[in-house]
Amino acid sequence: MGEKIKSSGKLYFHYLSVALRSAMQYKTSFFLMVIGRFLLFFNGILGVYFMFSRFGHVKGYTFGEVLLCFSIIQMDFALAECIGSGFATFASIVRQGEFDRVLLRPRSTILQVLGSQFRIDRIGLIFQAIFMFAYGIIISPVDWTFGRVMTVFSMLLGGTTLFISFFLLRAAFTFFTLEGLELVNILTYGAQEHGKYPVDIYGKKMMKFCTYVIPYTLIQYYPLQYLLGRTDQWYYGVYPLCAVYFLLVCYGMWRFGMRHYQSAGS
Amino acid sequence: MITMEHVCKSYRVAKRNAGMREACKALFRRETEVIQALSDVSFTIQDGEMVGYIGPNGAGKSSTIKILSGILTPESGSCLVDGRIPWKNRTEHVRQIGVVFGQRSQLWWDVPVIDSFELLKDIYAIPSYEYQNNMEELTELLHLQELLKMPTRQLSLGQRMRCEIAASLLHSPKILFLDEPTIGLDAVSKLAVREFVMRLNQEHKTTVILTTHDMQDIEALTKRIILIGRGRVLMDGTLEDMRRLAAEHGQAAEASDQNGESLERIVAGLYQKLDIL
């Protein structure tokens, strides 16, 4: 078992290095992508900033607090896109019959699809998020205890896992529809867009949906309450790790979808 | 040894007429048609055999190869490759086979060929000495020396095909599936590929299953031919058997001719006479 994990890890990094070498072949597109993402994200921050310069606070959250929330979600999303972009673009792999080749290799399908792409251009986004997070720390009076620092890490881990699960879920649907289901994009890009504010500002119904249908509040709202000192319940900081269960569910869907696979053409 | 017994496979295909209106209609109610790709296909192939698998487009050749290589699961029938059920123990099975799809590439598009090979070494966990040996042999026989440093996307089709074949043999598979390996190649590359496959079969006793539309491939390489049409095996025998079958269907005049050109005509005639187009 240990031997197998070691060899899979080694192979994954080998895949990454090939994906990086491929990406570097297209320098212009690489830099344009980084710049484009930067502007898009900057746009997002400005939106939040203008909102707060007008209203002062939103449902009791200050600008600094929203910045903390926003930057963590952005970082989750950027990391997920970085690592899981093989699933994000899985529709084209299936449609062109490239998945045949994946099945012809004696390795786990998940590992191969993950290794097929690595969006290094998302690195820019991650740095930006770190910068914003630092600014959020400066302007909001959070008392950084050990528990709260760990909560940030658990939010990052859980959030990235959750977004990767969304990508995986959409990839699983691809086996049935041959196209990525746009509906799932509401979860991925919708969550990214609206995730800049804590979920409770969207009302009770949204809270329920984001807790029981998709475990979104578990990686955002609840741990944030603990982080911002609105509750003393330290275990809120552990909630994000529940995203692993959601990942398992999505993995199950993937396995189920794979059995439905009909390869394409000759 | 490869055995297929009474294998059936069908696909569900969405159908609609041309035009925007029809396309919109199909969004809500899709008419599907079941297409029988394989119906009751049986054959046995011994170790070290080289078999030509022919038939018109859409006859079920690729479906057969996909089932044998574990990509597709048949609806009924049984299939054993060296004692393994291909789609059940996928990873164990694919370790022992090599597959070349002439229409698709298995190399990484933007990196030099050698980088793809190194990655394949890790994917198949090929021991270093075995990899070295195979690399040396393949580089020499397929004249890859100059190509290894070039990115795949800059190779000509003939160059790429030689690299593709090498890529699927790095892990010394016992069985090699070649799905239209000579498609679109010039005369020199075709000859090089044929010569190599011949040698592989003779020296390493690799079982080769070859699908092609090029009858010269068949003539040069295979003693045994399996003819398939509309998902059924119509003939399983030698080139002579096929000529005889053609003669029975009224093509006696051409049957005595030996060259590939007329073989093409014989096969075309057979497809028409057997009504499998």
Side-chain angles (χ1 to χ4, degrees):
Chain A
M1 190 67 191
E3 194 60 30
K4 202 177 161 194
I5 291 173
K6 205 174 132 199
S7 122
S8 296
K10 189 181 153 217
L11 179 61
Y12 179 67
F13 283 107
H14 199 160
Y15 264 118
L16 286 198
S17 101
V18 170
L20 288 187
R21 271 174 271 171
S22 304
M24 283 187 285
Q25 293 268 324
Y26 303 97
K27 268 182 255 152
T28 325
S29 118
F30 177 78
F31 287 117
L32 282 180
M33 203 67 180
V34 171
I35 294 170
R37 283 280 149 183
F38 181 87
L39 291 177
L40 204 69
F41 181 62
F42 199 64
N43 195 25
I45 304 177
L46 276 185
V48 177
Y49 176 74
F50 286 133
M51 181 95 128
F52 276 93
S53 66
R54 182 153 178 166
F55 297 108
H57 57 84
V58 173
K59 228 184 176 189
Y61 293 102
T62 66
F63 181 51
E65 288 172 335
V66 168
L67 270 192
L68 289 181
C69 174
F70 189 12
S71 58
I72 291 175
I73 291 295
Q74 285 300 322
M75 222 180 302
D76 290 343
F77 193 76
L79 280 171
E81 269 200 316
C82 214
I83 301 165
S85 57
F87 289 115
T89 55
F90 188 67
S92 69
I93 296 184
V94 164
R95 213 167 349 170
Q96 287 160 18
E98 289 295 319
F99 194 64
D100 286 1
R101 195 41 80 178
V102 171
L103 289 175
L104 283 176
R105 293 189 169 136
R107 290 297 181 140
S108 112
T109 49
I110 296 267
L111 176 70
Q112 291 186 67
V113 176
L114 278 182
S116 68
Q117 230 182 26
F118 189 80
R119 298 301 296 265
I120 192 68
D121 53 321
R122 297 296 189 268
I123 286 271
L125 210 62
I126 294 173
F127 278 121
Q128 238 174 346
I130 291 175
F131 177 76
M132 189 164 76
F133 185 70
Y135 186 63
I137 290 178
I138 295 169
I139 63 167
S140 54
V142 174
D143 176 21
W144 290 100
T145 60
F146 176 73
R148 294 206 171 107
V149 174
M150 290 323 280
T151 300
V152 171
F153 283 111
S154 116
M155 282 172 84
L156 284 177
L157 195 66
T160 308
T161 308
L162 187 67
F163 279 117
I164 289 179
S165 312
F166 291 154
F167 290 141
L168 183 59
L169 186 65
R170 191 173 57 174
F173 280 122
T174 308
F175 288 118
F176 303 98
T177 61
L178 288 189
E179 311 220 350
L181 202 62
E182 285 299 314
L183 211 61
V184 183
N185 281 351
I186 298 175
L187 299 185
T188 51
Y189 297 100
Q192 183 215 10
E193 175 59 26
H194 297 291
K196 49 191 170 197
Y197 299 108
V199 181
D200 59 332
I201 74 158
Y202 299 109
K204 280 227 172 69
K205 276 185 192 155
M206 199 61 185
M207 274 289 279
K208 274 190 186 144
F209 178 80
C210 290
T211 306
Y212 300 113
V213 183
I214 50 165
Y216 191 62
T217 52
L218 299 186
I219 61 125
Q220 197 228 31
Y221 174 77
Y222 289 108
L224 201 68
Q225 299 305 304
Y226 177 66
L227 192 71
L228 301 178
R230 290 165 177 244
T231 171
D232 286 332
Q233 262 118 14
W234 62 270
Y235 53 84
Y236 277 16
V238 188
Y239 277 8
L241 303 182
C242 297
V244 173
Y245 284 104
F246 194 69
L247 181 67
L248 287 179
V249 171
C250 295
Y251 177 68
M253 291 289 288
W254 163 270
R255 291 299 296 254
F256 180 69
M258 210 158 76
R259 265 185 268 144
H260 270 254
Y261 178 63
Q262 284 197 346
S263 100
S266 56
Chain B
M1 195 170 83
I2 300 171
T3 51
M4 270 194 128
E5 274 170 2
H6 313 294
V7 169
C8 297
K9 173 81 194 169
S10 62
Y11 298 105
R12 193 171 279 282
V13 185
K15 281 217 155 170
R16 68 168 175 82
N17 292 323
M20 194 64 198
R21 224 186 115 193
E22 290 292 323
C24 292
K25 234 162 81 185
L27 267 180
F28 301 101
R29 208 167 55 94
R30 190 168 294 186
E31 277 165 32
T32 58
E33 194 179 331
V34 175
I35 292 198
Q36 196 69 30
L38 298 177
S39 38
D40 199 19
V41 170
S42 308
F43 57 74
T44 305
I45 294 172
Q46 301 296 332
D47 288 344
E49 250 191 299
M50 180 131 67
V51 176
Y53 197 54
I54 64 170
N57 295 112
K61 301 189 296 297
S62 291
S63 297
T64 311
I65 291 211
K66 282 172 185 168
I67 287 172
L68 285 175
S69 54
I71 297 173
L72 291 179
T73 313
E75 272 124 40
S76 60
S78 66
C79 172
L80 274 183
V81 180
D82 290 339
R84 297 178 304 263
I85 299 173
W87 57 93
K88 285 260 167 69
N89 342 50
R90 183 183 71 83
T91 50
E92 204 182 305
H93 176 63
V94 295
R95 210 178 276 280
Q96 309 292 338
I97 63 168
V99 186
V100 176
F101 289 117
Q103 315 261 36
R104 279 189 216 136
S105 179
Q106 65 160 313
L107 302 166
W108 279 257
W109 203 237
D110 293 311
V111 293
V113 176
I114 186 73
D115 282 9
S116 292
F117 285 6
E118 294 278 332
L119 189 49
L120 286 169
K121 173 176 183 274
D122 272 3
I123 289 174
Y124 285 93
I126 309 168
S128 286
Y129 65 91
E130 187 182 336
Y131 177 75
Q132 280 307 330
N133 281 347
N134 286 344
M135 270 300 276
E136 265 168 42
E137 189 185 345
L138 292 167
T139 309
E140 196 198 313
L141 294 178
L142 288 163
H143 311 289
L144 303 178
Q145 200 58 54
E146 298 301 310
L147 309 179
L148 289 177
K149 289 180 190 139
M150 282 162 65
T152 309
R153 71 185 140 90
Q154 286 176 346
L155 298 176
S156 74
L157 190 57
Q159 292 172 330
R160 209 192 76 208
M161 194 50 67
R162 271 144 57 201
C163 295
E164 298 279 348
I165 291 174
S168 46
L169 290 171
L170 287 172
H171 58 290
S172 343
K174 292 197 188 70
I175 301 170
L176 180 65
F177 296 99
L178 297 168
D179 195 359
E180 305 188 31
T182 55
I183 195 160
L185 300 192
D186 62 43
V188 178
S189 304
K190 261 187 198 174
L191 286 176
V193 167
R194 274 179 208 152
E195 211 168 290
F196 175 79
V197 173
M198 199 68 192
R199 227 175 131 154
L200 177 80
N201 176 256
Q202 281 168 354
E203 285 177 12
H204 293 278
K205 303 283 172 250
T206 308
T207 311
V208 179
I209 290 145
L210 169 81
T211 81
T212 183
H213 292 296
D214 188 329
M215 292 318 294
Q216 283 169 319
D217 284 351
I218 296 288
E219 200 171 28
L221 291 173
T222 64
K223 287 196 191 72
R224 180 177 166 197
I225 300 170
I226 297 176
L227 172 67
I228 181 175
R230 289 193 197 279
R232 288 172 200 283
V233 175
L234 299 171
M235 192 211 75
D236 185 347
T238 61
L239 204 56
E240 283 314 309
D241 291 331
M242 197 171 75
R243 288 211 168 90
R244 216 169 295 138
L245 186 68
E248 281 168 22
H249 284 84
Q251 294 187 310
E254 283 151 329
S256 61
D257 206 334
Q258 291 287 325
N259 68 53
E261 176 72 18
S262 83
L263 200 60
E264 211 100 79
R265 212 166 291 149
I266 289 176
V267 171
L270 255 183
Y271 288 174
Q272 271 162 6
K273 289 276 156 46
L274 294 171
D275 191 30
I276 53 173
L277 280 174

